[in-house]
Amino acid sequence: MRILKSMVRQPSALFGLAIVALLIFMAVAAPLIAPYNPDEQMFDGLTLEGAPMPPSAQFLLGTDTLGRDLFSRLLFGARTSLVIGLVANGIAVAIGLLIGILSGYMRGLVGNALMRFTDLMMAFPALLLAIVLAALLRPSLWIVAMVIALVNWVQVARIVYTETRGLVERDFILAERSLGAGHLRILFHHILPHLMPTAIVWGTLGIATTVLLEATLSFLGIGVQPPTPSWGNIIFESQSYFQAAPWLVFIPGAVILLTALSFNLVGDVLRDILDPTQRGRG
């Protein structure tokens, strides 16, 4: 409650929260809000020349190249993009926490091996690695989520490792060890609670990155496969009509941009609230 009160006092956080809440509502209520079936190809959804219909009273945001209502597809695409964003980023944060805590706490051979593996993963460009993994596997919603999670955990692991190294030298950890506390008790009762603010902030900020990466993969044709709508594959399917029907590219692109901006605004404010030492830093 204290965090929420602090956030609503800041205009940027309030704007971000409002947009995030609206997106979640649209995704959950898509079957009730959407005026048409997102996969329905309508005869009156194309002009006599076979071109997409522009925005009108019948089709609020126009139609796509197959005569499907763009507004309906954007609503259902929000479900796909947000589910992948939440699931993939949640898995990435969990993996990063596990590897970061273990490598920072255990040190020695195991800790060094985990960190060298993390460094190796960081050496690969995330987008290139995601493209390779997505191309090797048969793309689907859950496969894309897994691929994104496998390339996005390294930053979390590095941050958690650094913080864990500092925590294990603190007096209260040394006191627990002298009292005979086991490793699991120290990890879960003393170290992990101190790392949760970092996990929450990175979890929020990472959703924007995950949504953008999913859109990129879908735009390249190796993400979520049609007819399942996602914001990325809506742009991919319509790119050839960029000049004739620019709304097919600009509208989903603007939605992706607004989503990333909103989660970043919320994450930045959360960082300031949960870690006051970061306030004012770029």
Side-chain angles (χ1 to χ4, degrees):
M1 187 61 67
R2 178 187 65 84
I3 294 175
L4 185 60
K5 288 181 178 179
S6 300
M7 293 186 70
V8 296
R9 295 193 189 111
Q10 304 192 40
S12 60
L14 192 59
F15 173 79
L17 283 173
I19 298 300
V20 169
L22 178 62
L23 289 170
I24 294 174
F25 170 75
M26 292 171 61
V28 173
L32 302 176
I33 301 175
Y36 302 98
N37 185 317
D39 300 327
E40 182 181 359
Q41 302 179 26
M42 292 167 284
F43 290 109
D44 55 351
L46 296 172
T47 64
L48 294 177
E49 293 79 16
M53 294 288 289
S56 63
Q58 183 181 3
F59 303 110
L60 293 178
L61 299 179
T63 61
D64 67 3
T65 56
L66 297 178
R68 299 171 296 191
D69 180 55
L70 180 61
F71 179 60
S72 301
R73 289 187 65 77
L74 282 177
L75 289 175
F76 280 86
R79 291 181 134 195
T80 302
S81 297
L82 290 180
V83 164
I84 289 180
L86 293 171
V87 172
N89 198 57
I91 296 174
V93 170
I95 295 173
L97 269 175
L98 177 63
I99 293 181
I101 290 177
L102 290 179
S103 57
Y105 182 79
M106 299 180 69
R107 302 188 183 181
L109 180 61
V110 175
N112 288 332
L114 288 173
M115 269 301 100
R116 296 298 76 76
F117 175 69
T118 303
D119 293 338
L120 179 64
M121 291 293 293
M122 291 184 72
F124 287 97
L127 178 58
L128 181 59
L129 184 58
I131 290 173
V132 172
L133 290 174
L136 292 175
L137 303 170
R138 184 176 181 180
S140 68
L141 190 148
W142 301 112
I143 291 296
V144 171
M146 184 192 71
V147 166
I148 294 175
L150 290 177
V151 301
N152 272 358
W153 60 268
V154 289
Q155 292 84 3
V156 180
R158 173 57 72 177
I159 295 295
V160 169
Y161 167 76
T162 303
E163 293 197 10
T164 304
R165 286 289 301 269
L167 285 170
V168 295
E169 300 297 337
R170 300 279 295 273
D171 291 340
F172 68 93
I173 297 295
L174 298 176
E176 281 292 316
R177 283 178 173 169
S178 65
L179 292 174
H183 297 305
L184 292 179
R185 177 177 176 81
I186 293 175
L187 285 172
F188 288 100
H189 287 265
H190 298 284
I191 293 181
L192 185 59
H194 285 80
L195 298 173
M196 289 312 297
T198 299
I200 293 172
V201 171
W202 276 90
T204 306
L205 291 171
I207 293 175
T209 303
T210 303
V211 169
L212 289 172
L213 186 53
E214 181 278 324
T216 303
L217 292 176
S218 295
F219 175 74
L220 294 174
I222 53 176
V224 178
Q225 298 298 295
T228 302
S230 80
W231 295 333
N233 66 26
I234 290 174
I235 298 176
F236 171 71
E237 293 173 342
S238 309
Q239 57 182 323
S240 59
Y241 280 76
F242 173 71
Q243 293 183 327
W247 64 87
L248 294 178
V249 176
F250 284 130
I251 293 177
V255 172
I256 294 171
L257 176 64
L258 189 61
T259 302
L261 174 63
S262 301
F263 278 106
N264 278 330
L265 289 174
V266 173
D268 283 340
V269 175
L270 273 176
R271 179 187 59 185
D272 291 343
I273 295 172
L274 296 176
D275 186 6
T277 61
Q278 295 293 324
R279 187 174 290 121
R281 296 185 182 179

